[in-house]
Amino acid sequence: MGKLRFASLGSGSKGNATLVSDEETMVLVDCGFGLRETERRLARLGLHPRQLDAVLVTHEHGDHLRGVGPLARRYAVPVYITPGTWLSGRLGEVPCRHWITPQSRFAVKSLVIDPFTVPHDAREPVQFRFESHGRHLGVLTDLGQPTDHVVEAFSGCDALILECNHDRYMLEVGPYPPRLKRRVGGNWGHLANVQAAALLQRLGLDRLQRIVCSHLSEHNNCPELVLDTLTPLLDGDGSRLTIAAQDSGLDWQAIT
């Protein structure tokens, strides 16, 4: 029986892509890297694009969508996408397209997937919860606030990939223009470290084997600040915390 596991090809404003597999099925959540870079990052994990059973798209922003169309067209990988994201017109034609209906469960082979609406400044954004062999993984990035709906949707996971985009003070004094600061820090933007910590407390920490901090801003955050914010929630034991880096990503993490 295959274990549910996951890896990151890279996470941040320059590109995001997450692999989820249970050894029977392998999907890629988003592909924000160009085709050659995606091939290179997959090869780093010993993988080829033809091993992918699907690409799931969260929303249309370039750091999540850029490589989806080229990857799907080159290797005939099925794409799962909401109608709103499709209507952004940023994907182009793909050989095989499946509609995602938010809050409606679907499956890709042996992986059961629940897509949930989240507050983000895109047309019809979703994030995903995966289930296989009795284990649950939440992929939860690109949301401006931890709503009750989000808490309900992602409670009880065994592992969580969670956005820790910015430190509020670094964002305030950083190089972004005021309009962009308001967007990033607003209710339809990205989670601050303190918001991620508050969300984790509401979700409950006892069951979580792995907490992967993702989508860190290179201008408005740093790993040390993230870990300093979240480690106290775990009684000072940071062994369950990991950072998904922009350049190096994250190697396979198994959920036992």
Side-chain angles (χ1 to χ4, degrees), residues 99-173:
W99 292 130
I100 291 172
T101 302
Q103 285 70 244
S104 293
R105 175 174 291 189
F106 65 99
V108 178
K109 294 173 63 176
S110 58
L111 280 177
V112 177
I113 304 157
D114 289 294
F116 295 106
T117 301
V118 293
H120 192 54
D121 57 350
R123 286 173 176 254
E124 194 178 12
V126 290
Q127 296 290 316
F128 300 107
R129 178 171 176 153
F130 295 86
E131 179 183 356
S132 181
H133 303 300
R135 295 293 180 261
H136 296 258
L137 165 67
V139 178
L140 184 55
T141 68
D142 292 73
L143 69 159
Q145 55 182 314
T147 61
D148 292 343
H149 170 70
V150 168
V151 172
E152 181 181 356
F154 289 89
S155 292
C157 286
D158 299 286
L160 184 64
I161 300 173
L162 178 63
E163 177 173 57
C164 299
N165 178 258
H166 61 277
D167 171 78
R168 281 178 167 166
Y169 178 74
M170 285 187 68
L171 178 64
E172 179 184 347
V173 302

Side-chain angles (χ1 to χ4, degrees), residues 4-5 20-27 51-54 107-111 113 132 252:
L4 187 59
R5 60 183 188 142
V20 180
S21 174
D22 64 357
E23 298 176 12
E24 300 168 57
T25 308
M26 185 178 300
V27 302
Q51 293 174 260
L52 297 172
D53 294 295
V108 178
K109 294 173 63 176
S110 58
L111 280 177
I113 304 157
S132 181
W252 287 108

